[in-house]
Amino acid sequence: MHGKIALEEAFALPRLDAQSRRWASLFSTDVDKHVAEITDINATRLRYADAHGVGFQILSYTAPGVQDIYDREEADALAREINEYIAARVREAPEGRLGAFATLSMHDPATAAAELRRCVFEHGFLGALVNDTQRSGPAGDDLVFYDRPEWDGFWATCTELRVPLYLHPRNPTGVVFDKLWKDRSWLIGPPLSFAHGVSLHLLGMVTNGVFDRHPDLQVIVGHLGEHVPFDMWRINHWFEDRKKLLGLAETCKKTIREYFAQNIWITTSGHFSTTTLNFCLAEVGADRILFSIDYPFESFEDACGWFDGVPLNVTDKLKIGRENAKKLFRLGEYKDSDTPLTKDG
Ligand code: GRE
């Protein structure tokens, strides 16, 4: 399929190469290649995109990024530096190939909202991507969740600007790391901890009433929903048949399936399974699924080779591959944005 849109695509600052190497050594079997790919913005990345039918990519700063910086001033400054850096690289790229999500320091809701607004107005960014909870406190052990009422002003800014927020994973730290993951370190990352973190945060937003107070808010999660779609029936059963009778109804008015239909999107990033996609089509529906890769943690070849070959009706393939994202981000023309599907997908 030509003209696909991909939106969980990471970059890193070249000046932080040592940090990128350290992170890559935990996850990659070819650290040099990974660091070269994550610091490149518009050479290798666009060659891969051309070869695999990706028309438009929305880039975001790699995990754990600014969410790992527990000094507030340092985090605020790094977020601004990253946003200025990627805005300049996107401007240099050929027209209609790259966009960006804002990187935000999430120490303070008003500061985060102001930086998002600045990035949308000054640079045309298409939303924000945040790496789960913000570390804070003197030793970085406090975790800021955005499902508290203090964050209502931030969420109001997202809906006023009509931009989505991508809730991306980061690694467990502090007491969470010590108590849960230290002795089970092979489960850190894609096998388990990433989905644990994001699903807790997302369902915290659902049950604490964030989507009731902000019914137009749009939140994206990757990896085909961070395990939540698989548990949809069970979550729904317990919310509707027990927890709402015990008090949950005060803060959570709709059903979990309604939030998925009205507020939540899932992407295919890093999860290239036809069985799982078919399950999500049945449980979540084609209108809320977006193609993505998770480059450079995953390859264009694996993601696009899989998606192009998935046996799917033309309508749903176009929705997931690009049409849903065009609407969500209100995109104009970009490379191959209207190229019809060929008989081979
Ligand atoms: C990511 O998307 O940020 C990521 C990592 C490490 C491993 C896999 C992965 O940071 O998708």
Side-chain angles (χ1 to χ4, degrees):
M1 175 181 170
H2 293 285
K4 290 187 291 296
I5 297 171
L7 52 134
E8 194 192 310
E9 318 309 330
F11 70 94
L13 287 179
R15 82 166 173 86
L16 298 178
D17 256 18
Q19 212 173 72
S20 299
R21 293 192 81 78
R22 212 175 318 122
W23 187 255
S25 69
L26 302 173
F27 294 103
S28 175
T29 49
D30 188 341
V31 169
D32 290 336
K33 178 166 180 266
H34 178 90
V35 173
E37 287 182 344
I38 205 162
T39 43
D40 161 76
I41 303 294
N42 49 30
T44 315
R45 217 178 273 265
L46 290 184
R47 273 201 303 279
Y48 282 136
D50 287 341
H52 296 286
V54 174
F56 192 74
Q57 300 172 62
I58 306 176
L59 307 187
S60 50
Y61 201 71
T62 188
V66 173
Q67 272 59 68
D68 203 35
I69 312 286
Y70 44 94
D71 180 87
R72 177 174 163 183
E73 278 174 23
E74 194 189 327
D76 291 357
L78 181 61
R80 271 185 89 95
E81 177 188 352
I82 290 167
N83 290 329
E84 292 312 291
Y85 174 80
I86 196 62
R89 300 292 83 71
V90 167
R91 271 196 299 275
E92 290 161 6
E95 184 75 14
R97 301 304 306 278
L98 297 180
F101 283 133
T103 295
L104 301 175
S105 160
M106 298 296 272
H107 285 269
D108 171 64
T111 311
E115 179 64 359
L116 175 61
R117 184 183 299 277
R118 187 185 77 80
C119 287
V120 170
F121 283 124
E122 282 183 24
H123 298 315
F125 285 4
L126 297 163
L129 180 141
V130 166
N131 295 305
D132 204 352
T133 50
Q134 175 71 53
R135 295 184 76 180
S136 70
D141 280 344
D142 295 336
L143 303 178
V144 180
F145 280 82
Y146 324 124
D147 58 3
R148 313 303 305 149
E150 305 87 89
W151 283 84
D152 276 351
F154 174 77
W155 296 123
T157 300
C158 294
T159 57
E160 180 210 321
L161 297 172
R162 295 171 65 201
V163 293
L165 181 124
Y166 202 124
L167 194 60
H168 183 277
R170 74 167 176 84
N171 53 318
T173 51
V175 76
V176 177
F177 172 81
D178 291 343
K179 300 272 185 212
L180 298 184
W181 304 100
K182 184 162 55 77
D183 296 333
R184 286 154 211 99
S185 61
W186 292 111
L187 300 177
I188 293 173
L192 191 60
S193 82
F194 282 179
H196 252 223
V198 174
S199 57
L200 175 68
H201 209 154
L202 180 72
L203 293 172
M205 291 177 66
V206 166
T207 50
N208 287 338
V210 174
F211 296 112
D212 287 354
R213 295 193 297 279
H214 306 279
D216 294 329
L217 178 62
Q218 302 299 318
V219 170
I220 308 166
V221 295
H223 316 115
L224 285 175
E226 309 289 11
H227 301 179
V228 181
F230 187 78
D231 257 7
M232 196 85 84
W233 185 91
R234 185 162 160 80
I235 293 167
N236 185 65
H237 166 53
W238 274 83
F239 281 4
E240 300 309 311
D241 299 338
R242 307 285 163 78
K243 303 244 175 199
K244 284 197 176 170
L245 307 175
L246 298 170
L248 173 64
E250 283 169 32
T251 55
C252 180
K253 307 284 180 222
K254 300 178 191 169
T255 67
I256 183 74
R257 286 198 175 87
E258 287 173 312
Y259 296 112
F260 264 83
Q262 296 165 21
N263 304 104
I264 298 168
W265 301 78
I266 64 176
T267 77
T268 67
S269 64
H271 202 143
F272 315 134
S273 157
T274 303
T275 307
T276 318
L277 178 66
N278 280 333
F279 175 80
C280 290
L281 282 164
E283 187 57 274
V284 176
D287 289 339
R288 305 299 292 195
I289 304 176
L290 306 160
F291 174 74
S292 282
I293 301 168
D294 211 350
Y295 178 82
F297 299 96
E298 305 287 350
S299 71
F300 277 73
E301 194 178 1
D302 285 352
C304 300
W306 165 71
F307 184 73
D308 289 351
V310 170
L312 203 58
N313 67 77
V314 172
T315 310
D316 286 355
K317 190 166 267 193
L318 285 172
K319 278 183 182 175
I320 297 170
R322 70 183 189 216
E323 298 302 322
N324 289 341
K326 276 188 199 171
K327 280 193 209 144
L328 176 61
F329 297 106
R330 293 174 286 140
L331 295 181
E333 260 182 51
Y334 60 87
K335 183 175 188 243
D336 297 328
S337 53
D338 296 302
T339 306
L341 275 185
T342 64
K343 69 174 171 35
D344 299 321

